[in-house]
């Protein structure tokens, strides 16, 4: 340890000794509850932590300054004759005033004035990639972004203040600006698992196609609405966003394994570009080949919107195509309600919907729950009906016979039949279930809730496109499992956009 480091350590130890002594004397002189004792400890630790952090950062700044001086053939002490002498600048102009998780700190950057000139270099600035665009330490910015991704900005500020015991008092506008700037600078690749990680998951954990033995990787796209600033007014205008999600299913637990996803304000052409980008990056290869002998069966499980069939499905000619069965049932239900109106027809609608579900192979039968005395509780799993469902059965057994009997509302029912006929190639549920392939896109629907709705669909919230996208990308980064990996980078990629964002 250098003499300078030893001097910093000695000063810190003196301050720490004084703080510890104060807490111990307080414990001897008056009884402390568990809560007050812990509060007193935090009160002692925070200023010591701030001083220690300041000392660590200043030590690194000094090391950078000494290194820069040595590289240029200068000296700081002026002992060697004939060697140009540089001078340190420790004034306020070269001090970083920062907020940290321990409270405000002032870090001297140890800038160096060039020999014989008034010019100054500050090599230590590279250690602070966010400063001065964001006058917070890296960890504090991460905390701000994590809270902003889950809480409204006012609540994020209150939570930050509370959990840092009053050390980090950040204004709402500052948290918003930081979170939006960081979110909009996150590279898209970080919103998905790396191809090597996806390959590992598919090889070792994912369910497999019982017909081919290939691991199954699912993909979907779907839209939902958010309130957005439109036409220079804060009217409650709803704007459709398009989400994309990739996932697999754990072969042992049956749980969804999130492989990545994103949300875009773009239209159908933009969604197509995103899928093309997924192919180029190897995140969702066109042929499912992830390399090293791992070839997956791509499954595209979506709803029946025409643009998906026109722009997304053709990108994966070898994929298994699934029209979400629950969307089909929803369309059938809405058509039946439109044809058979009124409360007196509700039992009839329910009966016909049940027939439609059976035709699609979605009927379930639950056996009696058997209770055992003691700690053991045995429950029988839900058993599904036979693997005989299909869109063709729905047409032949339910819809077409019903159409012949209708005296009114035929045009509405013909639209439903046309919808089923157009998508028959995606309605082979019998074969899909025999192969162990899911017939629903519930994983895509759930990402709407966890990825955006619980954060952005709040009472009174209206969003600009940039602010909403920044928060959405932060949430997607969290869900991708790469949050720590992203923040561990020496220079996170959003730093390049800070000047524009600020």
């Amino acid at each position: 340890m250098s003499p300078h480091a030893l001097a910093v350590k000695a000063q810190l130890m003196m301050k720490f000794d004084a703080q510890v002594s104060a807490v111990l004397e307080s414990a001897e002189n008056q009884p402390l509850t568990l809560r007050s004792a812990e509060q007193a400890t935090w009160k002692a630790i925070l200023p010591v932590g701030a001083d220690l952090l300041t000392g660590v950062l200043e030590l690194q700044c000094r090391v950078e300054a000494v290194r820069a001086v040595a590289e240029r053939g200068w000296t700081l002490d002026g002992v060697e004759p004939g060697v140009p002498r540089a001078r340190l600048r420790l004034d306020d102009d070269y001090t970083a005033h920062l907020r940290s998780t321990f409270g405000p700190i002032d870090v001297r950057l140890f800038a160096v004035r060039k020999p014989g000139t008034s010019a100054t270099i500050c090599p230590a600035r590279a250690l602070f990639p966010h400063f001065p665009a964001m006058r917070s330490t890296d960890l504090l910015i991460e905390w701000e972004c994590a809270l902003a991704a889950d809480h409204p900005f006012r609540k994020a500020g209150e939570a930050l203040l509370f959990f840092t015991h009053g050390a980090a008092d950040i204004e709402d506008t500052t948290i918003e600006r930081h979170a939006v700037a960081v979110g909009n600078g996150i590279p898209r690749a970080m919103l998905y698992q790396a191809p090597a990680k996806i390959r590992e998951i598919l090889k070792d954990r994912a369910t497999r196609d019982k017909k081919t033995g290939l691991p199954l990787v699912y993909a979907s796209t779907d839209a939902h609405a958010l309130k957005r600033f439109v036409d220079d007014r804060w009217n409650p205008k709803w704007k459709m966003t398009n989400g994309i999600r990739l996932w697999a299913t754990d072969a042992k637990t049956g749980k969804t394994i999130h492989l990545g996803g994103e949300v875009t304000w773009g239209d159908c052409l933009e969604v197509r570009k995103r899928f093309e980008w997924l192919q180029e990056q190897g995140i969702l290869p066109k042929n499912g080949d992830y390399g090293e002998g791992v070839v997956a069966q791509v499954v595209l499980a979506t709803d029946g919107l025409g643009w998906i069939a026109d722009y997304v499905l053709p990108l994966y000619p070898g994929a298994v195509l699934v029209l979400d069965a629950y969307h089909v049932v929803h369309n059938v239900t809405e058509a039946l309600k439109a044809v058979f109106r009124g409360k007196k027809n509700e039992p009839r609608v329910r009966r016909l919907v049940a027939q439609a579900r059976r035709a699609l192979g979605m009927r379930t039968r639950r056996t009696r729950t058997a209770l055992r005395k003691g700690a053991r509780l045995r429950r029988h799993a839900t058993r599904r009906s036979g693997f005989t469902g299909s869109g063709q059965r729905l047409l032949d057994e339910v819809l077409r016979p019903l159409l012949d009997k209708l005296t009114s509302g035929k045009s509405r029912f013909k639209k439903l039949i046309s919808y089923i006929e157009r998508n028959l190639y995606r309605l082979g549920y019998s074969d899909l279930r025999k192969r162990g392939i899911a017939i629903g896109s519930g994983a895509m629907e759930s990402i709407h809730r966890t990825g955006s709705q619980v954060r952005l669909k709040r009472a009174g919230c209206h969003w600009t496109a940039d602010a909403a996208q920044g928060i959405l990308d932060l949430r997607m980064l969290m869900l991708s499992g790469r949050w720590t990996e992203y923040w561990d980078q020496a220079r996170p990629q959003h730093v390049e956009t800070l000047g524009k964002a600020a």
Side-chain angles (χ1 to χ4, degrees), residues 58-74:
E58 287 192 347
L59 187 60
Q60 289 186 300
C61 291
R62 189 177 188 281
V63 169
E64 287 297 312
V66 171
R67 180 189 57 79
V69 167
E71 287 178 351
R72 289 165 172 77
W74 305 336

Side-chain angles (χ1 to χ4, degrees), residues 188-208:
R188 188 187 304 165
M190 295 296 293
L191 307 181
Y192 296 87
Q193 293 283 357
K197 180 64 175 179
I198 296 176
R199 179 171 63 241
E200 178 185 336
I201 291 171
L202 294 175
K203 180 180 178 181
D204 300 330
R205 297 175 56 192
T207 55
R208 293 181 174 267

Side-chain angles (χ1 to χ4, degrees), residues 218-222 247 299-309 313 319-332 360-362 389-392 394-395 399 415-430 432-433 437-442 444-445:
Y218 293 87
S220 186
T221 181
D222 191 33
W247 73 94
V299 180
L300 298 178
T302 63
D303 62 24
L305 289 177
W307 70 265
I308 296 176
L313 303 187
V320 173
L321 307 179
V322 182
L323 177 56
D324 175 60
Y326 300 93
H327 277 89
V328 176
V329 172
H330 174 74
N331 279 285
V332 171
L360 292 171
M362 296 176 64
S390 67
Q392 192 64 53
L394 176 63
L395 287 173
L399 301 185
K415 289 182 180 179
L416 172 65
I417 291 176
S418 176
Y419 167 79
I420 300 298
E421 289 175 339
R422 285 197 313 271
N423 290 287
L424 275 178
Y425 66 101
R426 294 197 277 162
L427 294 172
Y429 297 141
S430 174
L432 293 171
R433 291 176 63 193
I437 297 173
I439 62 173
S441 60
M444 182 70 245
E445 300 294 336

Side-chain angles (χ1 to χ4, degrees), residues 270-282:
E270 178 62 26
V271 174
R272 178 185 174 92
K273 291 179 182 178
R274 301 290 174 106
F275 273 97
E276 291 173 338
W277 178 84
L278 291 173
Q279 290 180 341
E280 295 169 0
Q281 299 296 313

